[in-house]
Amino acid sequence: MGTFQIEGGHQLKGSIQPQGAKNEALQILCAVLLTPEEVIINNIPDIVDVNKLINILSNLGVKIQKLGKGKYSFISDALHLDYLESEQFKKEGGGLRGSIMIVGPLLARFGKGYIPRPGGDKIGRRRLDTHFEGMIKLGAKFRYNKEERFYGVEAPEGLKGTFMLLDEASVTGTANIVMAAVMAEGETTIYNAACEPYLQQLCKMLNKMGAKINGIGSNMLKIEGVKALKGCEHTVLPDMIEIGSWIGLAAMTKSEITIKNVSWNDLGLIPATFRKLGISVEKKGDDIFIPAHKDGYEIETFIDGSFMTISDAPWPGFTPDLLSIILVVATQAKGEVLIHQKMFESRLFFVDKLIDMGAKIILCDPHRATVIGHNFKSTLKATTMTSPDIRAGISLLIAALSAKGTSTIHNIEQIDRGYENIDERLRAIGAKIIRTT
């Protein structure tokens, strides 16, 4: 198991380039299965979860060629579908939640798709019902092997378009259903669809491949099925979760940092939410400039004087992936804030580690935590901790970089799942961080 040793309390300075978006890349990579023609994808992040999916695609028979840093060619013209029912796939697919999204394209193109119950972050229940209910409405038959925890959908006579109202605006569920529906007979309407930038990117890519999707960016998608899709070239957006992480890091360490090429139009409420904590987020072209907050930052209140609440919501609401960052940054703000994690019931359970470091946090229940900021009058103290998931891991890393003394973070494989070469990139702007095995 890997470990980070972090000497905290140093100001950082410089510019940092965000990696390609992890959540988009997982969807886009599954979409290459929809065509036998070549698909070229740019800006793929070199992270554990994405590399696991690329390995699964390779074992499935996709011809993969690395053309340069973050640039790959995929040709899915001769797939080994028997791999889907192998013990090897049950192990590999079960270790990656993103693998669920291979089911939709396989069902659309070959009339069948299988997946072991996928893994991922331990952040609470993450139902798969939306995925499979959507495919059932398109005409697929569902089966589940309870002993082996193995799911399957089959439609040997093809899929037929229909109207469906999703019970939740699941991003991966919507992506899976969209990829199944693009080759279904007739028109499919998906209401209460997710509309995150990742999903918009997937739909734009599918349209370049010959799909007919209307309503992109809204919660109602209309899809006219086509017989076949062709190849294309696509570029993955910069990762907005990593961008938010760098904003939080800059504020917490009183550092002057420029985040390059952030695709401002796709950031939604992220800049405005950090500004609610009193953080200066300046737009310079397509970059974000965070000045050194030498005098700290003060949390805003509501107009009636009551203290601020920051909560997550489906897009265009504030992304749940950044609430952990908001929480840790608030520990050194002036003022109080209620963090309300509505979408996952276990994502706040890392706060005990911040409390050990000296943070003032009251965990009200599994979904809510009140943070009373120190206003930098008391620094966090270094400690030893273990990363429970990707977003908690980066939050603890930010806390360690701001703390007094040397902290140790174990299980950093969780951080590597979502952040590319993070220790090297942090050292480039002055962080004192060492990776050991």
Side-chain angles (χ1 to χ4, degrees):
M1 303 292 281
T3 297
F4 282 147
Q5 299 284 342
I6 304 114
E7 183 183 305
H10 299 284
Q11 278 188 294
L12 314 178
K13 187 169 185 177
S15 62
I16 198 157
Q17 176 77 36
Q19 67 187 33
K22 166 185 177 278
N23 291 341
E24 179 189 338
L26 294 174
Q27 296 179 28
I28 296 301
L29 287 171
C30 294
V32 307
L33 297 169
L34 282 163
T35 177
E37 297 185 18
E38 182 182 40
V39 176
I40 295 174
I41 305 178
N42 303 293
N43 203 30
I44 296 177
D46 182 12
I47 55 177
V48 170
D49 277 10
V50 168
N51 292 336
K52 281 184 177 180
L53 182 55
I54 290 174
N55 183 61
I56 287 172
L57 293 176
S58 177
N59 291 336
L60 186 53
V62 180
K63 299 181 181 73
I64 302 173
Q65 184 179 359
K66 187 171 185 178
L67 305 176
K69 179 174 169 51
K71 183 173 184 176
Y72 286 80
S73 162
F74 302 87
I75 301 175
S76 307
D77 60 349
L79 300 184
H80 314 313
L81 296 182
D82 53 346
Y83 165 69
L84 296 173
E85 299 186 71
S86 68
E87 290 301 320
Q88 181 184 2
F89 177 59
K90 290 175 184 177
K91 180 179 179 181
E92 293 172 346
L96 175 68
R97 184 169 180 82
S99 63
I100 182 66
M101 288 181 289
I102 71 170
V103 176
L106 289 172
L107 179 65
R109 186 172 163 204
F110 300 104
K112 60 182 179 181
Y114 306 109
I115 194 74
R117 182 165 181 163
D121 287 328
K122 304 299 185 287
I123 57 176
R125 291 169 295 175
R126 303 170 79 182
R127 297 185 297 114
L128 298 176
D129 301 54
T130 303
H131 298 250
F132 292 114
E133 286 174 0
M135 294 175 199
I136 291 167
K137 287 175 181 174
L138 290 170
K141 292 183 178 178
F142 172 74
R143 61 186 177 90
Y144 176 48
N145 184 323
K146 191 173 183 180
E147 288 71 32
E148 296 184 358
R149 294 160 68 105
F150 199 72
Y151 301 90
V153 279
E154 297 172 346
E157 298 180 8
L159 301 171
K160 294 189 183 302
T162 187
F163 173 89
M164 63 182 79
L165 172 61
L166 303 187
D167 65 340
E168 63 171 347
S170 163
V171 178
T172 55
T174 302
N176 230 346
I177 296 166
V178 166
M179 287 188 280
V182 288
M183 293 169 69
E185 180 185 337
E187 184 178 89
T188 299
T189 299
I190 308 172
Y191 194 22
N192 194 30
C195 52
E196 271 78 355
Y198 317 130
L199 202 286
Q200 295 178 40
Q201 285 283 97
L202 172 67
C203 291
K204 290 173 184 176
M205 174 181 164
L206 292 172
N207 279 352
K208 282 192 285 186
M209 295 170 71
K212 297 180 179 179
I213 305 172
N214 291 305
I216 298 173
S218 76
N219 71 342
M220 181 178 282
L221 297 174
K222 290 186 181 292
I223 304 166
E224 184 182 334
V226 297
K227 296 289 185 184
L229 296 178
K230 60 186 179 181
C232 75
E233 185 166 351
H234 177 83
T235 299
V236 175
L237 285 175
D239 195 313
M240 64 180 178
I241 311 304
E242 190 180 89
I243 292 164
S245 303
W246 302 139
I247 295 172
L249 169 68
M252 190 81 167
T253 58
K254 296 186 175 181
S255 300
E256 181 182 298
I257 293 177
T258 298
I259 310 166
K260 305 290 290 182
N261 305 315
V262 299
S263 189
W264 264 91
N265 292 338
D266 296 296
L267 293 179
L269 288 174
I270 292 172
T273 304
F274 279 99
R275 289 176 182 135
K276 288 180 181 179
L277 296 183
I279 297 168
S280 177
V281 181
E282 300 178 16
K283 186 178 189 297
K284 294 196 172 183
D286 202 33
D287 300 343
I288 289 176
F289 175 70
I290 309 295
H293 288 70
K294 295 178 180 178
D295 298 322
Y297 43 93
E298 184 173 359
I299 300 169
E300 296 178 359
T301 62
F302 289 113
I303 57 174
D304 64 356
S306 57
F307 72 79
M308 179 62 59
T309 297
I310 295 178
S311 57
D312 60 335
W315 191 270
F318 186 66
T319 173
D321 283 343
L322 280 175
L323 270 190
S324 301
I325 307 292
I326 290 288
L327 187 149
V328 73
V329 174
T331 64
Q332 284 295 4
K334 181 180 179 181
E336 301 83 33
V337 62
L338 175 67
I339 305 296
H340 190 173
Q341 170 61 268
K342 297 177 181 178
M343 296 173 69
F344 302 104
E345 70 262 30
S346 304
R347 214 165 205 168
L348 298 180
F349 286 169
F350 76 101
V351 300
D352 59 327
K353 300 171 179 63
L354 296 175
I355 293 169
D356 287 344
M357 298 177 78
K360 294 180 181 178
I361 304 171
I362 301 166
L363 187 61
C364 309
D365 56 45
H367 290 276
R368 296 178 300 161
T370 300
V371 184
I372 300 97
H374 283 307
N375 193 22
F376 290 100
K377 292 179 179 177
S378 173
T379 58
L380 299 181
K381 60 180 183 291
T383 188
T384 298
M385 45 202 162
T386 299
S387 172
D389 64 68
I390 301 174
R391 308 309 174 189
I394 193 68
S395 301
L396 295 174
L397 179 54
I398 291 171
L401 286 164
S402 75
K404 184 178 181 180
T406 300
S407 295
T408 300
I409 302 179
H410 297 296
N411 195 29
I412 59 171
E413 288 79 9
Q414 288 287 349
I415 301 173
D416 289 336
R417 287 178 49 215
Y419 293 83
E420 179 178 329
N421 299 323
I422 190 165
D423 49 326
E424 294 177 19
R425 297 161 74 201
L426 287 172
R427 281 194 294 271
I429 58 173
K432 308 293 185 184
I433 177 171
I434 298 171
R435 178 188 296 262
T436 60
T437 302

